[in-house]
């Protein structure tokens, strides 16, 4: 591929210095509890196709107060999206608010209770963007679930099958971006403190999430988990989580000479290029990224998540 475009992703001023080194993660430590780990996606037993692209795109706004009523939610969205997107207000009988973005239907549902099992807090781990302030996530008292639904062909029963009527990569990206658009608007609600994206194993502060979405056509860290940190005294490492939702293997780099901030930025640029251009990196491919050497790709088992990833190494 040609030199990777440089989208203006917001990068943290510093990265977590105690990022886990690869040799600190034995195979018995992998799984949903590991930072950046996403539960294994469902697989079509007939074709072996990774079906995570068929999961419903969801983000959750976390608030440190009781859940807002449907009127507060509807009025905010109507004010922000006036003239851009149709907003279908919730009612006392059906408090969910609908937002129609092109042919995606985004449903917004307030829930008066925290995210279960500490998942939202767990997904803050090793994200430098928190700069030590991730404890605020534990204070959340309510949530607003934002979900986008695809419109399939007449008679589609939702069962796994050949995706003849859509490209899973492009369709999922379209729906995920619709979710980010509505979610970013909801962070303007009083008491919004964070946004949790379970499919990316990532929880971000509300303000930076909003800035990412409003400032980038492809806000990579709001769509995909990107974690970078020091691997040794002189090298860094970086890996992603959640790219399976876009029909791709997650990416990983180990033993990168230089600071983790640079590795983070380059990884964001690679993901943005892949998603924005529709390019799917393949094992054995050489990626020209503007450095002195191309990056060669190979399928490996991640020392961070225990799942198959596409590892990038200098060629």
């Amino acid at each position: 591929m040609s030199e990777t475009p440089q989208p203006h992703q917001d990068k943290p001023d510093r990265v977590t210095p105690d990022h886990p080194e690869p040799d600190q993660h034995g195979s018995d430590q992998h799984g949903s509890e590991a930072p950046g780990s996403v539960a294994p996606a469902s697989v079509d037993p007939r074709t072996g196709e990774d079906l995570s692209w068929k999961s419903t795109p969801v983000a959750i706004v976390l608030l440190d107060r009781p859940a807002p009523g449907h009127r507060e939610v509807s009025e905010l969205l109507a004010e922000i999206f006036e003239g851009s997107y149709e907003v279908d207000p919730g009612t006392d009988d059906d408090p969910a608010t609908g937002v129609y973005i092109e042919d995606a239907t985004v449903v917004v549902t307030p829930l008066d209770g925290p995210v279960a099992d500490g998942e939202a807090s767990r997904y803050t781990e090793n994200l430098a963007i928190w700069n030590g302030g991730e404890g605020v996530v534990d204070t959340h008292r309510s949530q607003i679930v934002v979900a986008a639904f695809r419109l399939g062909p007449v008679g589609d029963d939702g069962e796994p099958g050949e995706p003849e009527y859509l490209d899973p990569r492009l369709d999922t990206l379209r729906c995920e971006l619709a979710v980010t658009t509505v979610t970013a608007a909801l962070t303007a609600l009083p008491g919004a403190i964070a946004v949790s994206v379970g499919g990316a194993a990532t929880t971000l502060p509300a303000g930076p999430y909003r800035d990412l979405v409003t400032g980038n056509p492809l806000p990579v860290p709001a769509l995909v988990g990107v974690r970078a940190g020091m691997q040794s005294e002189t090298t860094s490492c970086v890996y992603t989580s959640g790219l399976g939702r876009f029909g791709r293997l997650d990416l990983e780099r180990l033993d990168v000479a230089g600071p983790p901030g640079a590795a983070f930025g380059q990884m964001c640029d690679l993901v943005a290029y892949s998603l924005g251009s529709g390019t799917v990196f393949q094992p054995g491919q050489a990626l020209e990224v503007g450095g002195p050497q191309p990056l060669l790709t190979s399928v490996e088992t991640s020392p961070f998540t225990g799942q198959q990833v596409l590892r990038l190494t200098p060629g």
Side-chain angles (χ1 to χ4, degrees), residues 54-67:
K54 296 194 78 169
S55 62
T56 301
V58 174
I60 302 175
V61 181
L62 310 180
L63 301 99
D64 62 2
R65 65 178 177 106

Side-chain angles (χ1 to χ4, degrees), residues 185-239:
L186 290 168
T187 60
L189 285 168
I193 57 175
V195 173
S196 187
V197 185
T202 298
T203 299
L204 300 174
Y209 178 95
R210 179 173 59 251
D211 293 342
L212 279 167
V213 173
T214 58
N216 297 280
L218 278 174
V220 169
L223 296 167
V224 178
V226 182
R227 289 172 166 85
M230 295 303 298
Q231 185 174 344
S232 70
E233 291 184 357
T234 58
T235 63
S236 56
C237 52
V238 59
Y239 67 101

Side-chain angles (χ1 to χ4, degrees), residues 8 18 21 39 49 58-60 66 85-86 88 110 161 170 186 194 244 251 263 267 290-291 300 307:
H8 300 291
D18 56 351
E21 295 186 16
E49 177 192 4
V58 174
I60 302 175
Y85 307 118
E86 179 185 353
D88 183 11
L170 296 178
L186 290 168
L251 304 177
M267 183 63 79
E300 309 288 348
Q307 299 174 16

Side-chain angles (χ1 to χ4, degrees), residues 263-287:
F264 175 93
Q266 186 186 69
M267 183 63 79
C268 285
D269 291 341
L270 283 169
V271 173
Y273 175 85
S274 177
L275 294 179
S277 67
T279 301
V280 180
F281 301 141
Q282 302 294 336
Q285 185 176 0
L287 307 181

